Amino acid sequence: MHCSQARFLLAAAGIILGAFVFPGVAAAQARYYVDSSAGYDDNDGLAPERPWRSLARVNQAKLNSGDSILFRRGGAWTGQVVLRSSGRPGQPITIAAYGTGDRPILSRGRFGVDGNGQSHIVIRDIQFRNMTGPAIRSQGSADWHIDHINIDGSGLGHDGHNRDFSGIQFWHSSDLVIENSTLSNVRGDCIWGWKVERIKILGNRIEVCQGASADNVHLYAPRDFEIRDNYFSMEGKTESGKGNLHSQAGSNGLIEGNELRGGNYGVGMTDDNLTVRNNRFFNHDKAKWSAAIIVSESYDVRNNSIADNTIVKANMGIYILNLRGTYNRENFRIRNNVFEAIRTAAVVIEAPVSGEFTGNLMRNSPGAAVINGSGRLIRGQRWDERANVAVGSGPRHPVRSGQRR
């Protein structure tokens, strides 16, 4: 074979091979820049000097794994971003900021980012203002990371029946992280999760949701979740009759290191295998039934630990009630908590219960009971009380059972 023939065949093979994308070989990752004042939609958007201008152009883009949409800091846009493609593990689609100055603002859309069915998404360093529906929403998705965002006003179109509520809203989704963000002036639950798995809510500041049935965070049937190191407050003006955090019908959760203020409760829970540990509760005394921690609703609940929390100024510290019939609260371990300035009782137990109340301290609560146990012991199980200290508090009315130790 002559050299010229060999070169021709190699060149032809290169052309053929170049037409294929082999598995495991990542496509080039693109960064698209968007500038609300100096951009132009006929640009290619691929450099800060050639940015797009509008959300309409952003929503026309065909994004691939690893691509980014970057909004210029100091800019503002009206409308929403609609995601129509997913990233891949390790190659998310990212919505973020570039430049210097204030975080870019998206405002007055139905949503801020609408990503139904899309997975492997990162959203960071964006402000959302005055959205009709949730600022961020997705259904049937996985692997979203939301970091350093600000939501001020969302769910403004909620009429009590539609889904135009909340600040961040996930349905049937998994592997979610929401961290280092602030949410306020939200109509409906600030964070809503319906049947979510492996959600982490970390280091956020969430304040004063609106709506009669709104919580700052409401999770229904979560699995394997963490809520840590957040600041929650319901101390401002609100028509909500609920509280800071409600986790319902879930399992395997951790609520740790949070500060929870105001509202009718700090934590409302009906989960199995839940740990509520090392939190600080303040001012849960709005109503006669208010409590820092409340266990309610029509579910049997098992294997919960409430330990090392500080509860200050509550009508009840922990309220284990029995709503709509006979539902057991089995193997509740209430250990080493501090109760201060309690009005009625540190712990009120109305439901069938088993477990322990040990090593707790109650102080500065004149006239309040340490424990009021109008509930009964679950048949064949135990309820232990020991090593509790009361300073300046009222009587104790224990759980009724000859087997109590």
Side-chain angles (χ1 to χ4, degrees):
M1 180 180 295
H2 295 292
C3 291
S4 59
Q5 290 175 308
R7 285 195 295 270
F8 173 80
L9 290 174
L10 288 171
I15 293 170
I16 294 170
L17 291 172
F20 293 89
V21 177
F22 290 94
V25 178
Q29 298 177 359
R31 293 184 176 184
Y32 296 102
Y33 296 86
V34 192
D35 187 328
S36 61
S37 59
Y40 186 54
D41 283 352
D42 285 343
N43 289 337
D44 63 14
L46 291 172
E49 298 78 19
R50 303 188 304 276
W52 295 334
R53 185 183 186 93
S54 71
L55 295 182
R57 182 63 185 89
V58 169
N59 291 331
Q60 292 171 6
K62 296 180 179 179
L63 301 176
N64 298 307
S65 300
D67 287 354
S68 299
I69 298 290
L70 303 176
F71 292 96
R72 184 165 185 170
R73 289 178 179 271
W77 292 260
T78 297
Q80 66 188 35
V81 174
V82 180
L83 293 172
R84 296 185 174 89
S85 53
S86 295
R88 293 180 180 176
Q91 295 180 313
I93 290 174
T94 298
I95 298 172
Y98 77 100
T100 59
D102 294 336
R103 285 176 288 188
I105 297 172
L106 303 183
S107 67
R108 298 193 301 277
R110 183 179 178 189
F111 311 108
V113 176
D114 183 7
N116 272 356
Q118 310 306 334
S119 297
H120 312 296
I121 306 295
V122 172
I123 303 173
R124 64 171 181 263
D125 296 324
I126 303 291
Q127 299 184 66
F128 299 92
R129 296 284 183 272
N130 300 321
M131 295 295 174
T132 300
I136 298 172
R137 74 148 189 178
S138 191
Q139 179 170 331
S141 60
D143 187 19
W144 282 57
H145 190 169
I146 298 168
D147 185 16
H148 281 98
I149 69 159
N150 176 277
I151 298 172
D152 185 358
S154 64
L156 303 182
H158 184 46
D159 62 5
H161 304 286
N162 62 24
R163 289 190 177 184
D164 287 340
F165 69 91
S166 75
I168 299 171
Q169 186 184 100
F170 283 101
W171 304 77
H172 302 280
S173 298
S174 62
D175 299 298
L176 313 170
V177 177
I178 303 167
E179 62 180 341
N180 306 316
S181 297
T182 61
L183 292 84
S184 59
N185 299 316
V186 173
R187 181 156 292 278
D189 310 292
C190 288
I191 297 176
W192 164 269
W194 179 277
K195 294 188 176 180
V196 291
E197 296 184 7
R198 295 179 300 281
I199 184 172
K200 295 181 179 181
I201 300 173
L202 311 172
N204 303 284
R205 186 180 184 96
I206 303 176
E207 299 183 82
V208 195
C209 58
Q210 303 295 326
S213 60
D215 295 293
N216 277 333
V217 174
H218 190 134
L219 304 179
Y220 174 75
R223 299 288 184 269
D224 303 313
F225 62 96
E226 296 180 27
I227 302 174
R228 291 191 286 107
D229 302 324
N230 302 279
Y231 176 89
F232 299 112
S233 175
M234 291 288 283
E235 290 187 324
K237 184 178 180 181
T238 178
E239 72 270 32
S240 172
K242 299 186 73 180
N244 280 292
L245 169 59
H246 189 188
S247 183
Q248 176 184 3
S251 64
N252 302 323
L254 173 64
I255 300 172
E256 181 179 39
N258 305 283
E259 183 170 326
L260 306 102
R261 288 182 169 271
N264 279 317
Y265 48 82
V267 172
M269 61 187 199
T270 51
D271 298 332
D272 291 339
N273 305 311
L274 175 65
T275 296
V276 181
R277 180 174 66 204
N278 197 30
N279 302 282
R280 301 170 306 283
F281 297 86
F282 299 92
N283 305 327
H284 302 291
D285 58 355
K286 287 180 64 176
K288 185 177 180 180
W289 57 272
S290 293
I293 300 171
I294 186 168
V295 184
S296 63
E297 301 188 56
S298 51
Y299 302 93
D300 287 329
V301 181
R302 302 174 181 85
N303 303 325
N304 285 349
S305 174
I306 302 172
D308 302 304
N309 302 285
T310 300
I311 297 171
V312 179
K313 196 180 178 184
N315 188 42
M316 292 171 281
I318 301 170
Y319 185 18
I320 303 176
L321 64 87
N322 195 11
L323 191 66
R324 303 190 191 99
T326 303
Y327 294 95
N328 292 336
R329 281 69 172 101
E330 181 178 343
N331 192 25
F332 266 65
R333 302 175 301 281
I334 304 172
R335 301 169 175 162
N336 305 322
N337 302 282
V338 175
F339 302 89
E340 184 169 351
I342 305 301
R343 183 179 299 166
T344 301
V347 179
V348 175
I349 300 174
E350 298 176 351
V353 68
S354 66
E356 64 176 276
F357 180 73
T358 59
N360 300 282
L361 169 64
M362 184 174 177
R363 64 192 180 198
N364 302 326
S365 304
V370 177
I371 183 167
N372 190 328
S374 62
R376 69 177 189 276
L377 185 67
I378 297 173
R379 184 185 298 273
Q381 300 194 33
R382 302 186 67 86
W383 176 260
D384 293 337
E385 296 175 21
R386 61 183 183 273
N388 301 293
V389 176
V391 179
S393 62
R396 178 172 62 85
H397 304 287
V399 173
R400 296 176 302 185
S401 171
Q403 300 180 62
R404 187 185 62 81
R405 187 176 69 188

